[in-house]
Amino acid sequence: MNHVSRFKCSIIFLQRPCFSSMTTTECRTRPSALSNNHVDIVNDFTNYCYQKDLSKAMQELDNMQKHKLWADAITYTELIKCCIAHGAIKQGKQVYQHVFSNGYEPKTFLINTLLNMFVKFNLLDEAQSLFDQMLERNVVSWTTMISAYANSEINYKALEMLIMMLREGVRPNMYTYSSVLRACEGISNLKQVHCSIIKSGLELDVFVRSALIDIYSKWGELNSALYLFNEMQTSDLVVWNSIIGGFAQNNDGDEALNLFIRMKRFGFRSDQSTLTSVLRACTSLALLELGRQVHVHVIKFKRDLVLNNALLDMYCKCGSLEDADVIFTRMVVKDVISWSTMIIGFAQNGYSRKALSLFETMKKASGTKPNHITILGVLFACSHAGLVKDGEYYFKSMKMLFGIDPGREHYGCMVDLLGRAGKIEEAMKLIQEMKCEPDAVTWRTLLGACRVHRKMDLAEYVAKKVLSLDPHDAGTYILLSNIYANTQRWDDVEDLRRSMKHVGIKKEPGCSWIEINKLVHAFILGGKGHPQVDAIYGELNQIIQRLKEEGYVPDTNFVLQDLEGEQMESSLAYHSEKLAIVFGMMSLPKEKTIRIRKNLRICGDCHVFAKLLAKMERRSIVIRDPIRYHHFQDGACSCGDYW
């Protein structure tokens, strides 16, 4: 090989150079036979790389390849970064081929940059091949590959790479462990990695500790996450965000809010990540007033899309569609999450036609492509408004129009739609035709329809299907018990309850919550624990008497016990939502909406009670159950009595 082909022109700069005044003496080596033209080619190439002019840099790269010239490693890294920024895969591969041609010996940091490029382009096979060829692999090389596999959810490979790294004597750093923690599958993996972190002395690193808290939270090990947090001698906002986010994501809104209060007392200022988690906590607890207070903090920040979506979700799930609509309308940038959140918000709050109208607007005006969550919201809107034809159209066309294969949730919505409409046989047929195996939720949905339409024989068959998949599902026992009770089969009710007792299943008591002056008050069926219980019961009895004078007749079909006459009415009278509504009337001014959250679906009698009371007292009442919202006003409900 001649001396020209072995020449490597290396130009080293302390600052960004002025290439127009560069001389050939700035080359690290320059054989005498090297022409000025060759130096100009390398200088031009270097200039274009630092100017991030990808097109001209690639032209000069071709020129250098023809003349068997090379630049220095730093210049190549600038070009590779430019390829990454432009998503230029083809050009990136050309740089790789050039660097490894004709005997050029790239430095380790340059190979790491190429490795990172392949990872960023999601070319894992090429990255692994390059990694295998490396003679010298440092912590950056290993961490790049571990992070690549973790991000691609090829978790076993990420863990294998960590083991190989340790065997080669390369010590992981905080970035290595932050990446590998994401690849942990289950508590066993997590604890093994945690032990390795302790041995390395990196457990107190802020980023590692934050990653540990995140992953323990992901696996529902909130006590372990909180222990890690509490034992830290000093805290960092990143760690506060991790622990608050962990509890918020696991629907423990109370603890998330308590931690937020602790954080404020310690003098930490919130950022967008903090507020996003706190909004999620308010959402899970349906605390609208507290959510509005958090919104005040949000206004101080330049809101990003994630924070706007969190606000939107909070208002939708707290039943304040007016506030949600204002946020949505003012959002300059909307993504598929924004549109889906608003569509589902309308559907859950009983405004199905608005949900479908917004979906059509999304398709025609926004250019945003719906995803499987969007379609789920559309089908939910159809199922909760009896829009059978619309639901069937969207379900049948989702693959053809949007390239989305129906999943269990979509089938579940269709089973719910058909079941609510009384098309039980069609719903059963759809389950049998499912391309994926029906789960307990799907069968339970059909069981609910059987109860509404009194399909006794099928109900017993479906209940057995549910219990074969989920033997300890209390909801199925309760549903079947309700079906027996509705048909006066009290002996079967007792047998079922004995079976529940035998296997240790307890019925969850009905519970309702209402927020008054920043305090949350809880009520249970027939509960006596509230400090104002006597006044509440007295007011409730008077209201029931006045409603009866207006034509209210307690619907004893919703009494699920073998009781007589007045006992049946008494059992209905003290449902938790009735107690919460009455306390709201006693505590809130008339113009204030009474907002109730409950753990079980509202019964038909309480639904009638709320409608008549809203009309008689000229009050606005909102009740959120596990499925949807009911907005009561002027003697009507937003669900149109179809729930």
Side-chain angles (χ1 to χ4, degrees):
M1 185 177 296
N2 60 41
H3 64 278
V4 176
S5 67
R6 296 293 299 168
F7 175 70
K8 302 173 188 175
C9 185
S10 259
I11 307 171
I12 309 300
F13 312 101
L14 294 176
Q15 295 181 346
R16 188 170 179 173
C18 177
F19 295 100
S20 60
S21 61
M22 187 168 295
T23 66
T24 59
T25 58
E26 289 173 290
C27 295
R28 192 177 292 159
T29 59
R30 184 189 175 216
S32 58
L34 189 67
S35 69
N36 288 336
N37 180 52
H38 288 168
V39 175
D40 289 340
I41 291 171
V42 177
N43 284 347
D44 287 343
F45 170 72
T46 304
N47 192 2
Y48 293 136
C49 288
Y50 277 90
Q51 289 178 353
K52 303 191 184 306
D53 190 332
L54 181 60
S55 177
K56 290 184 178 179
M58 293 306 298
Q59 289 177 11
E60 290 302 326
L61 184 73
D62 289 339
N63 209 2
M64 288 171 60
Q65 188 75 16
K66 291 175 184 175
H67 291 86
K68 298 181 180 179
L69 301 171
W70 288 269
D72 64 281
I74 296 175
T75 302
Y76 285 127
T77 61
E78 290 297 319
L79 179 56
I80 294 165
K81 290 175 185 177
C82 189
C83 290
I84 294 172
H86 287 82
I89 297 176
K90 181 180 177 182
Q91 291 86 339
K93 288 182 176 180
Q94 288 175 335
V95 177
Y96 164 74
Q97 290 168 356
H98 170 75
V99 166
F100 279 92
S101 65
N102 296 315
Y104 182 77
E105 298 175 2
K107 298 180 182 295
T108 301
F109 81 85
L110 175 55
I111 301 177
N112 283 338
T113 306
L114 285 165
L115 199 62
N116 181 58
M117 178 190 74
F118 284 134
V119 168
K120 290 285 176 64
F121 290 153
N122 201 29
L123 300 172
L124 291 188
D125 290 340
E126 287 85 343
Q128 184 65 60
S129 176
L130 176 57
F131 180 80
D132 291 339
Q133 295 173 44
M134 292 180 70
L135 298 177
E136 180 185 343
R137 295 185 288 222
N138 60 18
V139 65
V140 176
S141 319
W142 287 100
T143 301
T144 299
M145 291 306 300
I146 288 171
S147 179
Y149 284 119
N151 289 337
S152 298
E153 298 183 357
I154 309 176
N155 296 331
Y156 77 95
K157 284 291 293 182
L159 295 170
E160 281 181 5
M161 295 292 283
L162 175 66
I163 294 169
M164 292 166 61
M165 176 184 186
L166 293 169
R167 286 175 179 169
E168 285 200 9
V170 181
R171 185 180 178 183
N173 63 17
M174 58 184 177
Y175 302 109
T176 316
Y177 280 121
S178 295
S179 297
V180 82
L181 281 168
R182 297 197 307 271
C184 290
E185 293 185 329
I187 297 303
S188 176
N189 276 160
L190 175 56
K191 289 184 175 178
Q192 290 176 19
V193 174
H194 192 171
C195 288
S196 179
I197 290 170
I198 294 171
K199 290 177 182 177
S200 71
L202 288 170
E203 191 188 22
L204 295 180
D205 179 85
V206 168
F207 293 103
V208 174
R209 181 61 64 99
S210 177
L212 276 168
I213 290 171
D214 284 341
I215 195 65
Y216 273 115
S217 300
K218 173 187 173 183
W219 291 106
E221 293 284 321
L222 295 180
N223 289 335
S224 297
L226 191 58
Y227 176 81
L228 280 167
F229 175 78
N230 287 333
E231 73 171 359
M232 290 189 71
Q233 294 179 353
T234 58
S235 296
D236 183 278
L237 182 60
V238 173
V239 184
W240 279 105
N241 286 343
S242 292
I243 192 66
I244 292 171
F247 278 93
Q249 288 165 9
N250 281 275
N251 294 319
D252 191 341
D254 287 324
E255 188 59 35
L257 293 175
N258 288 335
L259 285 162
F260 176 62
I261 293 169
R262 277 177 60 188
M263 188 191 90
K264 300 296 287 183
R265 286 174 180 167
F266 277 103
F268 286 90
R269 296 186 64 183
S270 310
D271 64 5
Q272 286 94 327
S273 179
T274 321
L275 294 174
T276 299
S277 295
V278 174
L279 285 169
R280 186 179 286 118
C282 296
T283 300
S284 68
L285 296 171
L287 298 177
L288 178 61
E289 294 307 317
L290 186 57
R292 283 176 171 155
Q293 291 177 43
V294 177
H295 190 173
V296 173
H297 289 278
V298 170
I299 292 172
K300 300 174 185 177
F301 291 90
K302 182 179 179 181
R303 298 204 300 256
D304 59 10
L305 183 59
V306 174
L307 196 51
N308 268 329
N309 284 341
L311 268 175
L312 192 62
D313 189 48
M314 184 273 293
Y315 280 122
C316 283
K317 290 182 178 173
C318 286
S320 182
L321 266 295
E322 300 84 359
D323 290 312
D325 199 35
V326 169
I327 296 290
F328 184 76
T329 302
R330 291 178 179 175
M331 286 175 66
V332 178
V333 178
K334 302 181 181 78
D335 63 0
V336 67
I337 296 174
S338 319
W339 288 95
S340 301
T341 300
M342 201 66 205
I343 289 168
I344 293 171
F346 277 129
Q348 286 184 324
N349 283 272
Y351 304 106
S352 293
R353 289 293 184 186
K354 284 187 177 181
L356 298 185
S357 176
L358 187 63
F359 178 60
E360 293 301 321
T361 301
M362 173 188 176
K363 290 192 299 178
K364 294 175 183 176
S366 73
T368 305
K369 184 180 178 181
N371 62 15
H372 69 287
I373 299 294
T374 321
I375 302 300
L376 198 60
V378 169
L379 295 177
F380 184 93
C382 295
S383 70
H384 285 263
L387 304 175
V388 177
K389 289 185 178 180
D390 293 279
E392 289 178 335
Y393 166 75
Y394 288 119
F395 180 75
K396 291 176 181 177
S397 61
M398 59 188 286
K399 173 65 175 176
M400 180 178 64
L401 295 181
F402 314 115
I404 301 171
D405 291 310
R408 283 193 183 89
E409 297 90 348
H410 302 98
Y411 279 106
C413 268
M414 286 304 298
V415 170
D416 191 37
L417 170 62
L418 296 169
R420 287 173 184 273
K423 298 177 179 291
I424 306 296
E425 290 75 16
E426 291 181 36
M428 183 67 187
K429 182 182 178 184
L430 182 63
I431 290 177
Q432 293 169 341
E433 293 174 351
M434 283 177 63
K435 294 182 180 179
C436 47
E437 193 69 25
D439 60 3
V441 176
T442 308
W443 286 111
R444 196 181 301 123
T445 301
L446 183 59
L447 181 60
C450 290
R451 178 205 168 188
V452 172
H453 297 285
R454 299 178 183 270
K455 298 287 187 178
M456 276 301 306
D457 293 338
L458 183 59
E460 290 180 297
Y461 168 79
V462 173
K464 289 178 181 178
K465 282 285 189 182
V466 178
L467 294 175
S468 69
L469 295 167
D470 189 359
H472 293 87
D473 177 47
T476 298
Y477 283 100
I478 301 305
L479 266 176
L480 192 55
S481 176
N482 293 351
I483 291 169
Y484 288 145
N486 286 335
T487 53
Q488 312 296 307
R489 291 172 57 176
W490 302 114
D491 290 341
D492 290 325
V493 171
E494 288 303 316
D495 289 342
L496 201 58
R497 287 179 178 172
R498 278 193 291 269
S499 298
M500 290 174 65
K501 187 175 181 180
H502 178 71
V503 295
I505 296 174
K506 294 183 179 179
K507 178 183 177 182
E508 183 181 11
C511 188
S512 297
W513 296 266
I514 183 171
E515 181 187 5
I516 305 289
N517 297 327
K518 301 180 184 179
L519 291 176
V520 178
H521 300 257
F523 297 89
I524 62 171
L525 170 64
K528 301 286 186 179
H530 195 276
Q532 294 176 251
V533 62
D534 291 335
I536 294 169
Y537 274 71
E539 182 68 19
L540 175 57
N541 289 331
Q542 290 182 28
I543 287 173
I544 290 174
Q545 190 57 44
R546 281 161 40 211
L547 286 176
K548 284 182 177 179
E549 292 171 3
E550 297 292 327
Y552 168 60
V553 178
D555 190 345
T556 55
N557 285 323
F558 293 93
V559 176
L560 305 176
Q561 303 174 52
D562 189 7
L563 302 175
E564 298 290 339
E566 292 183 3
Q567 287 182 306
M568 297 178 76
E569 288 193 17
S570 178
S571 174
L572 282 173
Y574 306 121
H575 279 192
S576 63
E577 55 265 57
K578 290 190 177 83
L579 298 172
I581 290 171
V582 170
F583 180 64
M585 290 180 60
M586 294 167 56
S587 308
L588 295 171
K590 199 162 188 175
E591 67 275 6
K592 198 83 170 176
T593 299
I594 297 170
R595 298 180 183 276
I596 311 293
R597 177 170 62 96
K598 67 187 308 283
N599 63 332
L600 303 177
R601 294 185 71 175
I602 186 171
C603 78
D605 181 70
C606 289
H607 196 268
V608 172
F609 174 89
K611 282 200 307 179
L612 294 176
L613 183 60
K615 182 179 181 180
M616 184 176 75
E617 294 293 323
R618 297 180 181 177
R619 300 290 299 247
S620 177
I621 301 170
V622 178
I623 297 179
R624 171 188 173 180
D625 69 19
I627 306 297
R628 63 177 303 161
Y629 284 84
H630 298 266
H631 294 252
F632 300 97
Q633 199 161 18
D634 299 326
C637 178
S638 60
C639 74
D641 298 338
Y642 193 90
W643 84 99

